Amino acid sequence: MSQVFSEETHRNLLSRIPECTGRAISDWLRTVEEGPSLFNFEEKVSWLRGEHNLAYGHAKAIIHEYDLRRAARKLL
């Protein structure tokens, strides 16, 4: 997992993604879950940008959030 932004910047980016993309964060996380099995953080970001025409910062925030939630699930 890669630390992408400060926690505050990450939360700010996440809060703007639905307005900028027209899709909820949960929808983006499902898209990543159902997407190709890529292992590298930057590969996931590149796929999301290319497949869904997202800004680099938004794609990184989505992948970072996905990784955070996936790690939290493994702890439970």
Side-chain angles (χ1 to χ4, degrees), residues 6-26:
S6 71
E7 183 64 27
E8 180 182 3
T9 300
H10 177 66
R11 293 288 156 217
N12 286 336
L13 275 167
L14 284 180
S15 70
R16 291 194 308 261
I17 287 172
E19 181 181 334
C20 293
T21 66
R23 293 174 64 184
I25 295 299
S26 59

Side-chain angles (χ1 to χ4, degrees), residues 48-62:
L48 202 53
R49 290 183 71 210
E51 188 72 23
H52 298 282
N53 200 30
L54 290 176
Y56 185 65
H58 289 156
K60 284 183 85 166
I62 291 166

Side-chain angles (χ1 to χ4, degrees), residues 31-65:
T31 296
V32 173
E33 182 72 28
E34 295 170 354
S37 296
L38 301 170
F39 295 104
N40 182 282
F41 182 87
E42 288 298 329
E43 288 176 332
K44 293 175 190 176
V45 171
S46 293
W47 169 77
L48 202 53
R49 290 183 71 210
E51 188 72 23
H52 298 282
N53 200 30
L54 290 176
Y56 185 65
H58 289 156
K60 284 183 85 166
I62 291 166
I63 297 300
H64 183 60
E65 185 68 16

